[in-house]
């Protein structure tokens, strides 16, 4: 019996006995019942069918960095809810809810760390926080992370998982696209490399700004990469979407990314890349 | 009778008086003056109180001054440049070399078209990947020649399509933003009609951003926001309010440098006057910017976007 269903994670937690924290989850793609610890060990990829589930920003950071090396940057001091926005739910309430659900202050976690000994600056979006959307606070944190990387002369790694600009912050969110590109300019001026890792999903204003301007772009297998979401394209144009549209493979075939990397090999591939890109640690 | 109807009746009366005065040589000057004052007052009231949703409708009018006819009226000379040199051309986003009050510059603009054929070809002003790759190419031409860049924006957004994705429309928009930020000469953007999300911001990372009074600039269409956040496309008028997409609201937020007043009734009511108002504002801003040394210009531009949203209004 499913006790918690989160569409965004594409698996269902399954209670087998008693009211404890469920030990089993069911893959929505293939129906397999998976021992939860086994799924964690497999970095949230279904061991049977290979379906990719969301990785939280903290899990992503743990998977990509040397143990005990990540030092998080303090969150930027940004006035909240600049438009006083409310739809069916006031934006402030949505923020509070997202904070409670994720334990994060915002959709981006950034800091410095080491990977295979190489120092780097890392920024990771968490899709569970309002769809990993970029508002003023995320834009500011991305700017500051790049400024730090430029100053410290450490490669900048940006892991994208985002639906785009944060609607509740209106044009101020849209203009974060320009702000994060201003940050990208700092890296270019200092000759500091920038690596983008595009995961599920990399869309909208995040892709149409910083997400597309890396020196090296890796797509995680299981990624969705596109400016407009598949539903929007179907509804606006009536076009039938070709099989495999906007997958990592599609992006590779159309020349949008340098490599497609399975999640389990991402750390290794980044290390291999840093060997040719970074100065020796 | 609502105020719009009252205005119409008064206007008809005034027209009648003018006709009488001309035909019969009657001196109706005093009566006419009173009537005209009433009309002006009523119009001011009506248009000052336009709801955001009403402005969205005005911004989207197919007869809104924009596109190629606007450019031809604005500039003494315009030479169109076409093609992105890789995939093709795009009739929805056009550009070229222009002379404006004697100044050489590179111009980029959305073209929505006025005939059904044109509108279909330009997908109502939704440019695809080749449009934005072309825009980036023209920005590079302007950069090499150290020419100022003027962009005239009127788009519902970039075109969401299979080919657009295959040709990396997201990368093209990102490249335009970067090229505008680095541009080694003054840049001015004018939002003439709809400033629709990524498709607009690609041409709007400028030193000065101006908006016509009834133009809009938004992260998403009100209909899109309504269906995503309210799960009901019918509440689009409410979404239009919440998004703060009007020129005056964006001016108050410090995002827009100047609101260019429109003729009574909206820009479509007087094409020539609209062109003149835009021309005056653009020349004034270009003049101010061209007096700045390049390093100062770039520093100010960079500072503006580095701080956007991080401080209060007018920052
Ligand atoms: Zn499975």
């Amino acid at each position: 019996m499913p006790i918690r269903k989160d569409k965004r994670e594409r698996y269902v937690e399954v209670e087998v006995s008693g009211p404890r924290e469920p030990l089993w989850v069911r893959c929505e793609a293939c129906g397999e019942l998976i021992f939860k610890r086994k799924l964690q060990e497999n970095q949230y990829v279904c061991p049977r069918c290979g379906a990719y589930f969301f990785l939280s920003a903290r899990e992503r950071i743990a998977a990509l960095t040397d143990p005990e090396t990540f030092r998080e940057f303090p969150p930027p001091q940004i006035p909240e809810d600049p438009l006083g926005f409310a739809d069916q739910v006031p934006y402030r309430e949505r923020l509070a809810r997202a904070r409670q659900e994720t334990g994060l202050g915002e959709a981006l976690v950034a800091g410095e760390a080491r990977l295979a000994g190489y120092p780097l600056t890392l920024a990771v979006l968490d899709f569970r926080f309002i769809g990993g959307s970029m508002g003023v606070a995320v834009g500011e944190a991305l700017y500051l992370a790049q400024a730090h990387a430029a100053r410290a002369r450490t490669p900048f790694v940006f892991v994208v998982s985002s639906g785009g600009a944060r609607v509740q912050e209106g044009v101020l969110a849209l203009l974060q696209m320009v702000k994060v590109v201003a940050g990208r300019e700092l890296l270019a001026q200092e000759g500091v490399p920038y690596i983008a890792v595009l995961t599920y999903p990399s869309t909208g204003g995040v892709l149409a700004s910083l997400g597309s301007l890396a020196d090296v772009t890796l797509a995680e297998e299981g990624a969705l990469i596109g400016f407009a979401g598949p539903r929007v394209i179907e509804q606006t144009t009536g076009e039938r979407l070709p099989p495999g549209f906007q997958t990592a493979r599609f992006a590779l075939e159309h020349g949008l990314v340098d490599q497609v990397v399975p999640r389990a090999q991402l750390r290794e591939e980044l290390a291999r890349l840093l060997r040719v890109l970074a100065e020796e640690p | 009778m609502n105020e719009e109807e009252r205005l119409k009746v008064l206007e008809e009366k005034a027209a009648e008086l003018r006709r009488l005065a001309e035909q019969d040589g009657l001196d109706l000057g005093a009566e006419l003056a009173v009537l005209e004052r009433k009309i002006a007052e009523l119009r001011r009231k009506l248009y000052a109180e336009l709801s955001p949703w009403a402005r969205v409708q005005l911004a989207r009018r197919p007869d809104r001054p924009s596109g190629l006819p606007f450019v031809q009226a604005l500039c003494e000379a315009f030479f169109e440049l076409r093609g992105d040199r890789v995939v093709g051309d795009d009739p929805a986003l056009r550009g070229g070399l222009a002379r404006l009050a004697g100044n050489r510059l590179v111009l980029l603009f959305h073209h929505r078209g006025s005939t059904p054929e044109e509108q279909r070809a330009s997908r109502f002003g939704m440019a695809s990947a080749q449009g934005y790759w072309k825009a980036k190419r023209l920005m590079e031409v302007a950069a090499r020649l150290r020419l100022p860049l003027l962009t005239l924006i009127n788009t519902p957004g970039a075109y969401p399509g299979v080919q657009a994705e295959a040709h990396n429309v997201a990368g093209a928009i990102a490249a335009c933003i970067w090229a505008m930020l680095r541009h080694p000469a003054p840049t001015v953007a004018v939002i003439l009609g709809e400033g629709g999300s990524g498709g607009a911001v690609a041409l709007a990372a400028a030193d000065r951003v101006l908006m016509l009074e009834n133009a809009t600039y938004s992260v998403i269409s009100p209909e899109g926001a309504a269906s995503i956040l309210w799960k009901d496309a019918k509440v689009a008028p409410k979404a239009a309010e919440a998004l703060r997409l009007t020129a005056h609201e964006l001016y108050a937020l410090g995002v827009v440098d100047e609101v260019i007043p429109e003729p009574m009734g909206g820009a479509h009511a007087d094409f020539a006057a609209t062109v003149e108002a835009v021309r005056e504002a653009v020349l004034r801003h270009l003049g101010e910017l061209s007096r700045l040394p390049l390093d100062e210009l770039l520093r100010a531009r960079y500072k503006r976007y580095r701080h956007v949203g991080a401080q209060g209004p007018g920052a």
Side-chain angles (χ1 to χ4, degrees):
Chain A
M1 183 185 77
I3 61 159
R4 195 174 77 191
K5 187 175 165 119
D6 186 344
K7 266 271 159 57
R8 294 174 300 175
E9 293 184 347
R10 293 186 294 172
Y11 63 78
V12 179
E13 296 196 328
V14 179
E15 188 180 31
V16 173
S17 63
R20 288 167 301 143
E21 180 76 355
L23 295 173
W24 298 84
V25 304
R26 189 184 300 285
C27 170
E28 286 200 338
C30 71
E32 177 82 347
L33 202 60
I34 315 161
F35 190 44
K36 204 172 161 190
R37 184 120 50 82
K38 168 95 180 161
L39 186 64
Q40 274 160 7
E41 275 166 20
N42 211 33
Q43 295 194 51
Y44 292 87
V45 177
C46 174
R48 182 172 174 214
C49 74
Y52 277 65
F53 308 126
F54 284 105
L55 220 48
S56 72
R58 299 230 181 271
E59 286 163 334
R60 177 71 74 180
I61 290 163
L64 293 183
T65 57
D66 298 343
E68 311 293 315
T69 61
F70 182 70
R71 282 211 313 277
E72 191 170 340
F73 297 145
Q77 296 304 305
I78 292 292
E80 223 168 80
D81 188 17
L83 304 187
F85 193 96
D87 45 79
Q88 286 168 313
V89 181
Y91 176 42
R92 279 170 190 274
E93 207 174 306
R94 269 187 210 272
L95 279 171
R97 214 182 284 172
R99 283 176 183 143
Q100 202 177 14
E101 280 170 12
T102 62
L104 301 175
E106 253 294 350
L108 187 89
V109 180
E112 47 184 2
R114 284 179 180 263
L115 198 174
Y118 294 100
L120 51 82
T121 304
L122 183 63
V124 181
L125 281 166
D126 194 314
F127 191 79
R128 301 168 309 150
F129 197 105
I130 317 187
S133 56
M134 178 166 70
V136 178
V138 168
E140 183 73 9
L142 273 174
Y143 177 89
L144 292 173
Q146 292 179 94
H148 174 90
R151 246 190 341 264
R153 306 191 58 81
T154 54
F156 177 63
V157 177
F158 178 30
V159 183
V160 181
S161 182
S162 174
R166 190 167 298 167
V167 173
Q168 292 90 342
E169 296 186 21
V171 167
L172 294 177
L174 187 68
L175 288 174
Q176 299 310 302
M177 292 169 70
V178 187
K179 185 194 283 179
V180 298
V181 176
R184 205 276 169 248
E185 174 68 23
L186 297 179
L187 297 171
Q189 277 170 8
E190 296 299 323
V192 169
Y194 160 34
I195 303 163
V197 179
L198 307 181
T199 78
Y200 187 97
S202 299
T203 57
V206 173
L207 187 70
S209 60
L210 191 56
S212 289
L213 296 175
D215 298 306
V216 180
T217 307
L218 305 181
E220 182 177 69
E221 198 177 59
L224 177 105
I225 300 164
F227 176 62
R231 243 178 316 147
V232 173
I233 296 175
E234 272 180 330
Q235 281 168 9
T236 314
T237 66
E239 286 181 77
R240 277 257 315 273
L241 305 181
F245 183 58
Q246 294 182 328
T247 57
R249 198 54 58 189
F250 177 92
L252 184 72
E253 279 164 11
H254 287 86
L256 313 188
V257 301
D258 295 294
Q259 297 281 348
V260 177
V261 185
R263 184 175 282 171
Q265 283 156 38
L266 197 51
R267 178 198 172 81
E268 209 177 296
E269 277 299 289
L270 280 170
R272 219 164 63 80
L273 178 56
L274 288 169
R275 264 194 75 191
V276 292
L277 202 52
E279 288 162 36
E280 277 303 311
Chain B
M1 191 157 46
N2 68 26
E3 289 187 323
E4 214 154 331
E5 287 161 345
R6 248 183 74 209
L7 179 64
K8 213 172 158 201
V9 169
L10 287 179
E11 277 173 340
E12 279 165 8
K13 263 193 202 158
E16 175 103 44
L17 276 185
R18 258 181 243 115
R19 211 167 32 246
L20 280 176
E22 245 172 63
Q23 276 174 10
D24 308 338
L26 293 173
D27 181 15
L28 300 169
E31 285 89 338
L32 212 62
V34 171
L35 207 52
E36 272 168 356
R37 208 172 324 119
K38 261 193 197 158
I39 289 171
E41 241 167 66
L42 200 56
R43 273 178 168 169
R44 239 195 320 277
K45 205 171 148 218
L46 258 173
Y47 289 105
E49 287 168 6
L50 274 184
S51 70
W53 183 241
R55 292 190 203 271
V56 168
Q57 304 312 314
L58 280 174
R60 286 177 179 169
R61 284 183 68 111
D63 57 354
R64 185 139 177 106
S66 84
L68 189 62
F70 191 95
V71 166
Q72 284 165 337
L74 182 75
C75 305
E76 300 98 85
F78 173 64
F79 191 96
E80 183 162 8
L81 303 178
R82 297 182 60 179
D84 68 356
R85 298 294 182 270
V86 181
V87 176
D89 194 28
D90 193 334
L93 206 178
R94 302 170 67 166
L97 296 150
R99 206 172 269 276
L100 177 67
N103 303 288
R104 292 185 308 145
L105 46 81
V106 166
L107 193 61
L108 289 162
F109 59 97
H110 292 104
H111 184 78
R112 299 173 80 133
S114 42
T115 66
E117 296 77 51
E118 255 193 328
Q119 287 168 339
R120 215 172 310 119
S122 76
R123 300 170 299 262
F124 297 89
M126 289 190 275
S128 189
Q130 56 269 41
Y132 288 99
W133 287 122
K134 172 174 70 177
K136 185 211 169 209
R137 183 175 77 80
L138 266 56
M139 289 171 187
E140 287 168 353
V141 171
R144 280 195 297 274
L145 304 178
R146 305 288 185 274
L147 294 177
L149 205 56
L150 171 62
T151 66
L152 304 172
I153 295 163
N154 183 11
T155 179
Y159 184 67
V162 172
Q163 284 309 306
E165 299 292 341
H167 296 140
N168 195 12
V169 66
I173 289 171
C176 284
I177 293 172
W178 202 0
M180 279 198 83
L181 270 179
R182 295 180 134 187
H183 193 70
T187 56
V188 174
V190 188
I191 303 173
L192 295 177
E194 271 184 289
S197 79
V201 83
L203 302 184
D207 294 315
R208 300 285 162 85
V209 180
L210 321 178
M211 273 179 90
L212 275 176
E213 193 180 355
N214 294 311
T216 60
Y217 190 15
S218 186
V219 65
I220 189 172
S221 72
E223 291 90 339
S227 70
I228 290 173
L229 297 176
W230 280 266
K231 317 283 178 211
D232 178 6
K234 286 195 295 295
V235 301
K238 207 166 164 184
E241 248 167 70
L243 286 166
R244 309 276 193 101
L245 45 65
T246 68
H248 289 294
E249 287 168 299
L250 293 169
Y251 180 78
L253 281 170
V255 163
V256 164
D257 300 281
E258 182 174 334
V259 179
I260 304 171
E262 292 187 21
M264 280 299 170
H268 61 279
D270 193 339
F271 182 92
T274 303
V275 171
E276 197 38 51
V278 169
R279 184 183 161 87
E280 186 278 318
V282 165
L283 287 172
R284 182 159 35 78
H285 286 282
L286 274 179
E288 285 171 23
L289 294 168
S290 65
R291 280 192 288 278
L292 296 174
L294 182 59
D295 58 338
E296 214 172 292
L297 183 78
L298 290 172
R299 214 177 311 126
R301 184 190 303 158
Y302 172 86
K303 203 173 150 210
R304 170 195 188 123
Y305 290 104
R306 180 262 164 277
H307 288 296
V308 65
Q311 291 163 359

